[in-house]
Amino acid sequence: MTAIALSIAGSDSGGGAGIQADLKTFSALGVYGASVITAITAQNTRGVTAVEDVSAEIVSAQMDAVFSDLDVKAVKIGMVSRRETIAAIADGLRRFGKRAVVDPVMVATSGDALLRPDAVAALIEELLPLALVVTPNLAEAALMTGRAIAAGDEAEMARQAEAIMRTGAHAVLVKGGHLKGQEATDLFFDGDTLVRLPAGRIETRNDHGTGCTLSAAIAAGLAKGVPLIEAVSAAKAYLHAAISAADRLEIGQGRGPVHHFHRWWKD
């Protein structure tokens, strides 16, 4: 049986993040990828110049089309910018009995908020209870837990992970890539066990799409029947290798993408 994963996310015209990064990740990890597009962005390696949301009705129709025909084993949710879209996705997940890997795309690398307050509340109230695992970065974890500033150490990351679990999520992976130090350490918590996932920090400007790629890689593992913590650990290893190889690519004039196909492309 072919493993199938579904990405529900926005489209990145530059190809480095969003739906495009998710489908590349699925393919790189041996999983067939389907997609539900929530928004269309005009962007490249230098930034985003325009965004147009897809209607909630079309989001629902895409989900119905995929779930009614394809045997989807894992779902990843990325960019969802409107309360109506979030409600439509939550309704579809409930109707088809699915839980998801939720990448809460709330805060840009610049620190700017990407969601309106009502959409943040809807994501927390409607999607997190349906999350098999939620994967916030430090700024997103702070926003979800009502903290004024992002965690500055692993102890605070752990406290925020525990707080996020109270939203109803099955598990949480707090990404520590923005902590200072030589390691980029993530913390996984499932309500019982706290697992530290360290990796050496890689100095590169080509890190566009890291969050999308990590969450999609987790979904790929789940689609193949891998237990959650093993899927998370394997996804982090895959992303680390993709970042390590990113400078082998020459894409655009700004922040380039990670190298999703680093195992196969010959330089």
Side-chain angles (χ1 to χ4, degrees):
M1 180 71 70
T2 301
I4 302 174
L6 169 66
S7 170
I8 303 175
S11 170
D12 172 2
S13 57
I19 287 285
Q20 286 82 354
D22 293 349
L23 294 179
K24 290 173 185 177
T25 301
F26 293 159
S27 293
L29 297 176
V31 172
Y32 180 87
S35 64
V36 168
I37 296 176
T38 61
I40 299 170
T41 71
Q43 65 175 294
N44 52 32
T45 62
R46 292 180 293 184
V48 180
T49 56
V51 179
E52 183 166 316
D53 290 306
V54 173
S55 72
E57 292 76 15
I58 293 298
V59 170
S60 291
Q62 291 177 84
M63 292 180 72
D64 288 349
V66 172
F67 285 136
S68 65
D69 182 40
L70 277 61
D71 185 15
V72 175
K73 296 299 186 183
V75 180
K76 170 260 168 81
I77 299 173
M79 178 183 177
V80 285
S81 59
R82 299 191 306 152
R83 187 180 188 94
E84 300 89 337
T85 304
I86 292 168
I89 293 170
D91 176 67
L93 293 177
R94 286 190 291 264
R95 283 190 292 110
F96 289 97
K98 303 292 184 180
R99 299 193 76 169
V101 177
V102 178
D103 180 20
V105 185
M106 295 177 167
V107 183
T109 301
S110 63
D112 295 330
L114 298 176
L115 297 185
R116 297 189 298 268
D118 66 327
V120 172
L123 189 148
I124 293 171
E125 295 165 8
E126 297 205 49
L127 284 187
L128 294 197
L130 298 170
L132 188 60
V133 61
V134 56
T135 63
N137 61 28
L138 297 182
E140 290 157 350
L143 184 60
M144 286 194 289
T145 55
R147 265 58 168 188
I149 58 174
D153 55 42
E154 291 183 29
E156 177 59 20
M157 287 171 63
R159 285 190 287 270
Q160 292 186 19
E162 292 177 0
I164 292 169
M165 285 292 293
R166 292 194 285 272
T167 65
H170 177 77
V172 59
L173 178 71
V174 180
K175 299 176 292 189
H178 292 110
L179 283 181
K180 295 180 180 179
Q182 295 302 308
E183 284 188 340
T185 299
D186 302 338
L187 294 183
F188 174 85
F189 184 59
D190 63 3
D192 296 316
T193 305
L194 182 69
V195 180
R196 187 174 183 269
L197 299 167
R201 189 174 299 280
I202 301 165
E203 295 300 329
T204 178
R205 66 181 299 188
N206 298 319
D207 58 359
H208 185 49
T210 52
C212 304
T213 298
L214 178 65
S215 54
I218 295 171
L222 295 173
K224 293 190 287 188
V226 175
L228 178 57
I229 183 56
E230 293 179 25
V232 169
S233 181
K236 184 172 176 69
Y238 167 74
L239 175 61
H240 188 267
I243 297 173
S244 296
D247 289 352
R248 286 159 44 190
L249 296 174
E250 296 180 8
I251 308 295
Q253 302 170 53
R255 289 177 55 232
V258 303
H259 197 336
H260 295 95
F261 298 110
H262 57 275
R263 296 177 185 171
W264 297 275
W265 287 20
K266 304 299 181 183
D267 299 322

